[in-house]
């Protein structure tokens, strides 16, 4: 038994529950297979956190979770690749950090991302709207398990109806991790 088995069961139950606006069961895409996870990891050049891989292979290939839900795996990989390539090729002031996979749409051009270089998958918020790269990265949760627990319990900042006010802890590693070239 792994440390996320209970979380996986709770997430699966919530993901397949009725849609709040329609009282009908949610229609989720089918899960991907282990070969899809392997292909994604080869393309990315790093492993996915075990809980994220398990969600895509046992629950559904995205479409559930906070706000607009997890991206399908291929879309997350394609977004990461595009962000890394574009930001590095253009020498942009906003290069994308290595190992930080955009995984969910939180609305208003703010993706939730998972730091795949951390053991438990630290969940980050990229909030570019204020226009300052040094004030665009925040820690949403210390792990994927904690992030999904907040979603299930209705206690995450995304459960609040108010606008994001920058009251999360900043993620200080974006510059160091953005300097890592991969083209």
């Amino acid at each position: 038994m792994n440390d996320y088995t209970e979380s996986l069961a709770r997430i699966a139950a919530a993901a397949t529950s009725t849609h709040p606006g329609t009282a009908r069961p949610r229609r989720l895409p089918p899960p991907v297979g282990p070969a899809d996870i392997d292909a994604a990891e080869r393309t990315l050049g790093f492993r996915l956190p075990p809980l994220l891989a398990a969600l895509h292979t046992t629950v559904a290939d995205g479409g559930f979770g906070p706000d607009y839900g997890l991206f399908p795996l291929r879309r997350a990989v394609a977004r990461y690749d595009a962000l890394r390539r574009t930001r590095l090729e253009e020498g942009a002031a906003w290069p994308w950090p290595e190992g930080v996979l955009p995984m969910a749409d939180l609305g208003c051009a703010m993706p939730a991302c998972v730091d795949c270089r951390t053991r438990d998958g630290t969940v980050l918020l990229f909030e570019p709207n204020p226009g300052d790269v040094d004030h665009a990265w925040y820690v949403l949760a210390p792990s994927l398990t904690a992030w999904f627990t907040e979603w299930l319990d209705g206690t995450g900042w995304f459960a609040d109806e108010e606008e994001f006010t920058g009251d999360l802890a900043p993620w200080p590693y974006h510059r160091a991790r953005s300097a890592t070239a991969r083209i």
Side-chain angles (χ1 to χ4, degrees):
M1 187 169 190
N2 52 51
D3 61 342
Y4 59 80
T5 303
E6 182 181 328
S7 295
L8 186 60
R10 285 186 68 205
I11 295 165
T16 57
S17 67
T18 58
H19 190 281
T22 65
R24 292 190 307 259
R26 294 179 196 262
R27 295 187 139 202
L28 295 174
V32 298
D36 297 302
I37 298 294
D38 292 341
E41 291 176 340
R42 277 192 309 276
T43 299
L44 292 166
F46 52 82
R47 296 185 58 78
L48 297 175
L51 177 57
L52 185 61
L55 290 169
H56 281 283
T57 58
T58 62
V59 177
D61 187 23
F64 62 92
D67 289 323
Y68 298 101
L70 291 179
F71 296 134
L73 184 59
R74 283 187 182 175
R75 181 174 172 201
V77 171
R79 284 190 77 172
Y80 175 80
D81 189 54
L83 287 165
R84 288 287 290 166
R85 287 180 184 279
T86 302
R87 304 294 166 113
L88 289 170
E89 288 171 354
E90 296 174 1
W94 291 63
W96 195 261
E98 190 276 327
V100 176
L101 181 69
M103 66 169 176
D105 182 359
L106 301 182
C108 298
M110 297 186 303
C113 306
V114 60
D115 184 353
C116 295
R117 289 180 45 179
T118 59
R119 183 173 138 338
D120 295 322
T122 301
V123 179
L124 307 171
L125 170 69
F126 178 61
E127 208 305 45
N129 296 304
D132 181 354
V133 70
D134 289 319
H135 297 95
W137 289 98
Y138 298 91
V139 176
L140 280 175
S143 68
L144 277 168
T145 302
W147 188 63
F148 274 105
T149 298
E150 289 175 354
W151 170 62
L152 293 166
D153 295 344
T155 59
W157 75 267
F158 40 77
D160 194 353
E161 293 298 319
E162 297 177 22
E163 299 266 329
F164 172 69
T165 59
D167 55 349
L168 299 169
W171 185 60
Y173 306 112
H174 69 91
R175 286 205 182 270
R177 296 278 291 282
S178 298
T180 309
R182 177 185 166 254
I183 296 182

